[in-house]
Amino acid sequence: MDSMYEILMGLPLFNGVSYNRISEVVGSTKFHFLKYLAGEQIVQAGEPCTHIKFIISGSARVTIENSDGRFKVSQTLSKPDVISPYFLFGRATHYPCTATAIESTGILQISKQDYVKILNSDPIFLFNFLNLLSMNAQKAIDGVLALTTGSLEERIAFWIVALTQRGGKDIVLSCRQRDLYALFGVQRTSFIGTLDNMKSRGLIDYNQHEIRINSRADMLALLSSPAED
């Protein structure tokens, strides 16, 4: 029981819950513990999001890309991150990303039906999940407002923040530079000048095909009125 308790207490959506309450949840909920070897796929983009998936050990490479695969944003998630929790409810209940185990990776999986029961069983569970959803919504609003300033740095930051999660590390935007010029609506000289400036300040590194983000927190800080997400 202690190990189960420690696992659950380490997960963000179970923060602030007592040992006794966790014991009750464990006794009434089906928890599925899955193990993936390095290179095995955990989630496929477009797959129905019928379970909430917590990373409890190891790490996963999570990638979101457009329909033709020319634009990709990849990040590494590890314990105690949740894989795309925003898509468990709402109109779009399909995973927007593909997640692949980088190493031997443990996943705690709870069905949507059982998770709804957990949320309804205690206000703390519900508050944690609503707080997660609210912070994600605030992040999007701050990003859209930042776009109105016309700053290319902020536009790049917005895309990175919008397409990654709070715990995301080793973030890489993969796309040909000429496609990025069109995406951001700028000339090549302006785009390269902005990248060079960001690189000189230690925010990114880049080549003709990739932009590597040194810190997601720094991208968040570039937005005009960032909300902690």
Side-chain angles (χ1 to χ4, degrees):
M1 180 62 204
D2 286 340
S3 60
M4 172 73 80
Y5 176 80
E6 291 170 1
I7 289 172
L8 294 180
M9 286 300 294
L11 302 176
L13 299 182
F14 289 84
N15 285 342
V17 182
S18 69
Y19 181 95
N20 289 338
R21 190 71 194 90
I22 288 291
S23 299
E24 293 174 7
V25 170
V26 170
S28 61
T29 305
K30 293 180 180 178
F31 293 96
H32 301 279
F33 292 90
L34 308 176
K35 200 74 172 181
Y36 295 86
L37 300 177
E40 287 190 325
Q41 192 172 89
I42 301 170
V43 166
Q44 172 65 47
E47 174 185 330
C49 185
T50 58
H51 294 73
I52 190 162
K53 298 176 184 286
F54 301 90
I55 299 175
I56 58 175
S57 65
S59 57
R61 193 66 177 165
V62 179
T63 301
I64 293 179
E65 61 184 84
N66 67 344
S67 58
D68 62 13
R70 291 192 298 173
F71 179 89
K72 300 179 183 180
V73 174
S74 300
Q75 62 183 319
T76 295
L77 298 180
S78 55
K79 175 184 177 180
D81 290 319
V82 191
I83 299 176
S84 297
Y86 318 115
F87 294 86
L88 190 62
F89 302 101
R91 186 182 66 178
T93 54
H94 292 76
Y95 283 102
C97 61
T98 296
T100 304
I102 297 175
E103 56 193 309
S104 180
T105 300
I107 298 290
L108 167 58
Q109 177 173 285
I110 305 173
S111 72
K112 181 176 179 178
Q113 182 178 3
D114 283 335
Y115 192 63
V116 168
K117 292 179 182 178
I118 291 174
L119 294 179
N120 286 325
S121 70
D122 193 298
I124 295 178
F125 293 126
L126 184 59
F127 174 81
N128 286 340
F129 191 70
L130 291 177
N131 196 40
L132 178 72
L133 296 179
S134 296
M135 288 188 292
N136 190 58
Q138 292 161 11
K139 171 186 67 178
I141 291 173
D142 289 327
V144 170
L145 292 176
L147 299 185
T148 64
T149 66
S151 166
L152 179 55
E153 282 193 1
E154 289 184 341
R155 279 183 276 169
I156 293 172
F158 170 68
W159 282 107
I160 296 301
V161 170
L163 294 175
T164 58
Q165 295 180 213
R166 181 179 183 179
K169 293 181 173 55
D170 303 323
I171 297 170
V172 178
L173 188 162
S174 302
C175 187
R176 294 183 302 180
Q177 285 187 357
R178 65 184 182 185
D179 291 329
L180 288 175
Y181 309 154
L183 175 67
F184 292 111
V186 296
Q187 296 296 319
R188 180 182 183 278
T189 52
S190 297
F191 185 73
I192 297 300
T194 296
L195 294 186
D196 285 340
N197 183 272
M198 295 176 74
K199 181 176 180 178
S200 70
R201 287 151 52 206
L203 299 175
I204 67 167
D205 198 0
Y206 77 95
N207 57 38
Q208 290 188 346
H209 303 287
E210 293 183 345
I211 299 175
R212 292 186 169 272
I213 309 303
N214 292 332
S215 168
R216 184 181 184 274
D218 288 341
M219 295 296 102
L220 190 61
L222 287 176
L223 300 180
S224 299
S225 303
E228 174 59 30
D229 78 321

